[in-house]
Amino acid sequence: MQNYKKLLLAAAASLVFSANALAVDKYKVGIEGAYPPFNNKNASGQVVGFDYDIAMALCAKMKAECEVVTSDWDGIIPALNAKKYDFIVSSLSITDDRKQAVDFTDPYYSNKQQFVAKKGVDFKTDIESLKSKKLGTQRSTQAATWLEDNVGGDIALYDTQENAYLDLSSGRVDALLADKYAIYGWLKDDPAGKDYEFKGNPINEDDKVGIALRKGESDLRTKLNLALKEIKEDGTYKKINDKYFPFSIE
Amino acid sequence: MLLELFIKWLPKLIQGATLTLELTALSVIAGLIVAIPLGIARSSSLWYVRSLPYAYIFFFRGTPLLIQLFLVYYGLSQFDVVRESVLWPYLRSPFWCAVITMTLHTAAYIAEILRGAIQAIPPGEIEAARALGMSRFKTLVHIVLPRAARIGLPAYSNEVILMLKASSLASTVTLLELTGMTRTIISRTYQTVDMFLIAGVIYLVMSFVLIQGFKLLERWLRVDACQGR
Amino acid sequence: MTIDLYGFGPALAAGALMTVKLALTALCLGLVLGLLGALAKTSSYKPLRWLGGAYSTLVRGVPELLWVLLIYFGSVNAVRALGEFIGMPDLTLSAFAAGVLALGLCFGAYATEVFRGAILAIPKGHREAGLALGLSRPRIFSKLVLPQMWRIALPGLGNLFMILMKDTALVSVIGLEEIMRQAQNAVTFAKHPFTFYMVAAVMYLGLTVLAMGTMHVLEKRAARGFVRRT
């Protein structure tokens, strides 16, 4: 009888503990999935890239179970506010416009925008010369805002960065303005990228990229900031950085 | 709130709506022109005349317009031959790509409408024209097409409304028509639902006006008195 | 001739399955909405007639793409309220559910007109005969009107279904992994836009042929008893 009781106690205890183990936080992470090398889908439908690796490292640090949800770039912030996921790790620059709609964590990398055009072509990046060129960029990006505010006129706005590259290589646009490190990946990895190069000096030198969350979720924000600090300190961040870039983008 | 947003962005929205109407008008008119020979050939009794238009209609009615648009816009430029051809100045522009795709697409539907209309003409009328000594061509121009136009008009007006709505897909190839403009405004304001609602109302108004216009045209052509059956 | 799909074959096949699932689910919803819409529009009760008319006019006047976007992003508050009501505060609308709602809504608006035409095409005498035989109204509807309506409405519904199947491509814009979305993923990864979009187009054609075949069988079945035997 005594034995039986002990067994029951042990069973109950294990139940409690396993229940504790089960009670991990679960999050859905919003990622665009069309922005190599930061995030895109491979043939088996798996999201890969810098953003994905960072998101998974953060989740591991927070001891949370994370599920990736992909979204169109256009709708990535609306879908966050529509609770389709809990935070966005998708190369989202921290801007005043976006701060009206969402909160951001500390930045997890820095970027800048730069023009890219065909090799050997004389492409000047002063405003006057830009006005006479057909320029393209992705809709709802820092680059789009900059072009609209500084150059204006007939700018081609694309749903995905990939479609913008397709049109650059078909010659529909003279140049693209986009995030420098994304273009870096395209110039290096894409067969079409070999005929193109950066033009002029980068603009928006101080572009910080952060994780976006719904307004008022300060608990989650604190957790994410802490996890970000931890992966930077323990070398995980550097490992992910080096996997994609031979220089630091922190 | 909604009204405030509407007034603030009205100039941009009008610009977008104008492009929407241009795309629609060009494609339904050009589509009709392409569809006339297509529809006549489709209703031919000879299989070798019938089969090519049939294949064309089958492809364009059996695949989504979005795919057709991507094929023309992003797909064709994959080939150097296309990029070096005389057509490139047109295929290069998103506007013409959208117009060409929408024209080819709607032509397939209009050709079917036309075929239905031609087949709905009482055979006696055609026989009467022939008996009066009209040539085949004369019969086609003076009897068959005017009759078919009246019989097909209600279906054609439906197709125009469908194309008005389908033009929203042009936003995926960088055109800032009403939907594209709305999405661009949303990217600056994040007023997603409000802006989509406003755009929806503008579409509704445009299609309402078009429907009323076609009703007037039908009355003027006395379509109801001329229906095949 | 073989086409190199760069390993995206299975992904495209999964996309086709998703397209079929989406189209069939939206069809079920659309048929119910269309039937209700037609009943409302042919009702002898004025507010109902007005409601049915408003439904079909409003929905048909706005692009399908806009409905997809509006429902996906616009349903947040309504869904949250519903979630709290049934005790599931984290309830959200998935891309699939939003797609079904949007496409079902649009299908229903057009089907309203098809069903209305079918109801009007049934001779009044049939209903009067039912009444004279002492049948109740619901019985007249289910035993007399519905079976005849089905036969008349079938070709129109078939056309609408073909349109519905192609409209599923629009749901790709909210991230549902159907044929179109998978083709876009493949282009991002492996380039060759013409190849992948053409493969996608052929897949839609295949689905259309399948649907046309099914329609043919259904129409033949529904026409039993109406075809003259020689």
Side-chain angles (χ1 to χ4, degrees):
Chain A
M1 200 58 201
Q2 202 71 359
N3 258 348
Y4 183 65
K5 260 187 185 164
K6 253 186 200 160
L7 207 70
L8 211 71
L9 211 70
S14 73
L15 214 76
V16 169
F17 282 113
S18 63
N20 261 348
L22 275 176
V24 291
D25 292 323
K26 282 187 184 161
Y27 296 113
K28 288 184 178 170
V29 189
I31 298 187
E32 184 199 7
Y35 198 63
F38 289 94
N39 59 75
N40 61 293
K41 286 204 164 167
N42 64 14
S44 51
Q46 169 84 33
V47 175
V48 293
F50 179 85
D51 287 337
Y52 174 80
D53 290 352
I54 291 286
M56 288 304 120
L58 292 176
C59 288
K61 273 281 175 275
M62 297 192 295
K63 301 209 167 41
E65 262 177 49
C66 288
E67 183 193 338
V68 169
V69 178
T70 53
S71 161
D72 247 43
W73 179 249
D74 245 20
I76 203 159
I77 286 180
L80 173 70
N81 284 328
K83 284 197 168 182
K84 308 289 177 192
Y85 33 77
D86 304 298
F87 54 92
I88 303 171
V89 189
S90 192
S91 297
L92 206 61
S93 301
I94 303 170
T95 67
D96 289 339
D97 271 357
R98 287 179 182 148
K99 275 188 192 160
Q100 311 267 324
V102 292
D103 280 349
F104 282 98
T105 61
D106 298 336
Y108 68 97
Y109 77 90
S110 323
N111 214 335
K112 45 195 90 175
Q113 277 86 49
Q114 198 162 2
F115 284 99
V116 60
K118 202 157 201 144
K119 271 183 187 164
V121 172
D122 183 29
F123 185 87
K124 289 198 176 61
T125 54
D126 59 292
I127 302 293
E128 271 321 299
S129 319
L130 287 176
K131 277 192 199 298
S132 65
K133 293 284 195 293
K134 180 71 186 167
L135 303 171
T137 187
Q138 192 178 3
R139 198 197 305 274
S140 315
T141 57
Q142 281 273 78
T145 312
W146 191 88
L147 284 178
E148 279 164 9
D149 292 349
N150 294 290
V151 185
D154 190 15
I155 296 155
L157 296 173
Y158 296 90
D159 291 352
T160 64
Q161 187 63 36
E162 185 53 38
N163 285 345
Y165 291 141
L166 284 176
D167 261 9
L168 179 64
S169 43
S170 73
R172 275 202 186 98
V173 290
D174 299 320
L176 297 178
L177 179 64
D179 291 344
K180 182 174 172 130
Y181 300 135
I183 299 177
Y184 173 83
W186 183 69
L187 294 177
K188 189 165 67 80
D189 298 331
D190 194 304
K194 66 179 189 304
D195 301 330
Y196 296 83
E197 62 183 5
F198 285 115
K199 302 279 183 185
N201 291 321
I203 48 179
N204 279 338
E205 293 266 17
D206 200 27
D207 178 17
K208 299 287 183 211
V209 177
I211 299 164
L213 353 71
R214 275 185 297 278
K215 283 200 168 278
E217 305 219 341
S218 48
D219 278 0
L220 179 56
R221 186 170 139 165
T222 317
K223 274 192 204 166
L224 282 167
N225 276 336
L226 191 68
L228 187 60
K229 218 174 127 216
E230 282 174 18
I231 63 165
K232 280 187 180 174
E233 278 165 3
D234 74 2
T236 316
Y237 183 93
K238 190 175 179 318
K239 227 187 272 169
I240 297 172
N241 185 124
D242 295 349
K243 187 170 155 193
Y244 297 96
F245 304 99
F247 43 80
S248 167
I249 64 168
E250 189 178 337
Chain B
M1 185 66 213
L2 216 57
L3 195 69
E4 225 173 88
L5 212 59
F6 175 71
I7 292 168
K8 184 174 172 207
W9 294 102
L10 189 62
K12 290 266 177 202
L13 291 169
I14 289 178
Q15 209 182 318
T18 313
L19 186 56
T20 292
L21 289 174
E22 274 173 27
L23 285 169
T24 312
L26 276 175
S27 56
V28 295
I29 293 169
L32 182 61
I33 296 169
V34 177
I36 289 173
L38 215 56
I40 293 172
R42 173 75 177 83
S43 44
S44 163
S45 50
L46 304 167
W47 69 267
Y48 51 86
V49 177
R50 208 167 49 210
S51 54
L52 201 64
Y54 182 83
Y56 174 91
I57 291 168
F58 178 69
F59 179 82
F60 279 96
R61 293 195 352 148
T63 54
L65 179 60
L66 188 59
I67 294 236
Q68 293 162 15
L69 194 59
F70 274 44
L71 267 175
V72 170
Y73 189 81
Y74 293 116
L76 286 183
S77 59
Q78 179 184 330
F79 304 107
D80 292 338
V81 192
V82 177
R83 288 215 302 275
E84 282 149 18
S85 75
V86 285
L87 287 175
W88 182 242
Y90 295 99
L91 289 176
R92 191 194 156 128
S93 121
F95 179 78
W96 287 113
C97 276
V99 169
I100 291 168
T101 318
M102 285 167 66
T103 299
L104 294 176
H105 179 86
T106 191
Y109 281 87
I110 300 174
E112 277 299 273
I113 293 172
L114 217 54
R115 178 183 67 100
I118 290 175
Q119 286 170 351
I121 300 171
E125 293 183 20
I126 298 168
E127 285 159 16
R130 301 280 290 145
L132 284 169
M134 281 182 155
S135 69
R136 267 176 188 280
F137 184 73
K138 256 193 160 167
T139 314
L140 186 70
V141 172
H142 292 286
I143 307 293
V144 175
L145 286 181
R147 280 295 265 121
R150 285 181 166 84
I151 296 172
L153 189 60
Y156 180 70
S157 69
N158 263 337
E159 181 60 24
V160 173
I161 304 296
L162 287 178
M163 286 319 282
L164 175 77
K165 295 194 291 167
S167 67
S168 65
L169 298 183
S171 65
T172 58
V173 292
T174 77
L175 283 180
L176 294 182
E177 42 64 74
L178 187 51
T179 303
M181 194 58 97
T182 308
R183 290 169 82 179
T184 305
I185 296 171
I186 289 171
S187 77
R188 296 298 287 261
T189 62
Y190 296 106
Q191 306 279 1
T192 315
V193 178
D194 293 353
M195 281 314 298
F196 279 140
L197 273 178
I198 290 173
V201 171
I202 298 176
Y203 274 109
L204 213 54
V205 170
M206 287 196 291
S207 51
F208 180 78
V209 170
L210 275 174
I211 290 170
Q212 294 309 314
F214 272 106
K215 274 194 182 154
L216 280 179
L217 186 66
E218 281 177 30
R219 203 167 305 155
W220 183 61
L221 288 172
R222 298 180 49 82
V223 164
D224 49 341
C226 299
Q227 285 297 347
R229 272 159 288 182
Chain C
M1 194 182 81
T2 54
I3 304 166
D4 188 0
L5 291 178
Y6 302 89
F8 274 88
L12 285 166
L17 197 68
M18 180 56 88
T19 294
V20 171
K21 269 205 292 207
L22 178 64
L24 290 179
T25 321
L27 174 70
C28 294
L29 176 68
L31 283 175
V32 173
L33 287 176
L35 206 54
L36 290 177
L39 283 177
K41 251 189 132 169
T42 54
S43 149
S44 51
Y45 185 53
K46 203 171 176 187
L48 265 184
R49 276 211 303 277
W50 188 85
L51 198 71
Y55 164 59
S56 86
T57 314
L58 279 182
V59 171
R60 289 188 302 161
V62 176
E64 287 76 4
L65 179 63
L66 220 56
W67 280 119
V68 172
L69 294 169
L70 245 175
I71 290 182
Y72 187 66
F73 294 121
S75 61
V76 189
N77 290 330
V79 170
R80 196 176 300 157
L82 179 77
E84 270 159 23
F85 182 71
I86 60 170
M88 292 171 63
D90 289 332
L91 195 70
T92 58
L93 206 61
S94 67
F96 183 81
V100 167
L101 275 181
L103 297 180
L105 198 71
C106 294
F107 183 94
Y110 285 92
T112 295
E113 300 305 315
V114 173
F115 279 132
R116 190 179 72 102
I119 290 177
L120 295 179
I122 297 167
K124 222 171 149 191
H126 290 200
R127 239 163 291 185
E128 287 167 357
L131 280 175
L133 284 170
L135 297 178
S136 67
R137 279 183 185 277
R139 245 183 113 77
I140 291 176
F141 181 74
S142 67
K143 295 283 169 196
L144 267 175
V145 179
L146 207 57
Q148 299 199 66
M149 224 171 102
W150 177 240
R151 180 180 59 86
I152 300 168
L154 208 51
L157 294 178
N159 275 336
L160 292 182
F161 182 66
M162 311 284 177
I163 295 173
L164 168 69
M165 212 155 58
K166 289 179 290 158
D167 281 348
T168 55
L170 302 179
V171 186
S172 66
V173 299
I174 53 170
L176 187 74
E177 311 253 288
E178 41 64 76
I179 297 176
M180 184 70 198
R181 182 80 180 184
Q182 296 287 14
Q184 278 174 309
N185 286 342
V187 171
T188 304
F189 191 82
K191 319 299 155 188
H192 302 283
F194 190 83
T195 318
F196 280 111
Y197 292 135
M198 204 60 191
V199 168
V202 170
M203 293 174 87
Y204 280 105
L205 276 184
L207 291 179
T208 303
V209 171
L210 212 67
M212 272 163 69
T214 316
M215 280 311 298
H216 187 73
V217 173
L218 283 178
E219 276 178 39
K220 244 186 161 166
R221 256 183 69 91
R224 277 171 315 173
F226 287 88
V227 192
R228 195 170 292 167
R229 294 213 185 95
T230 47

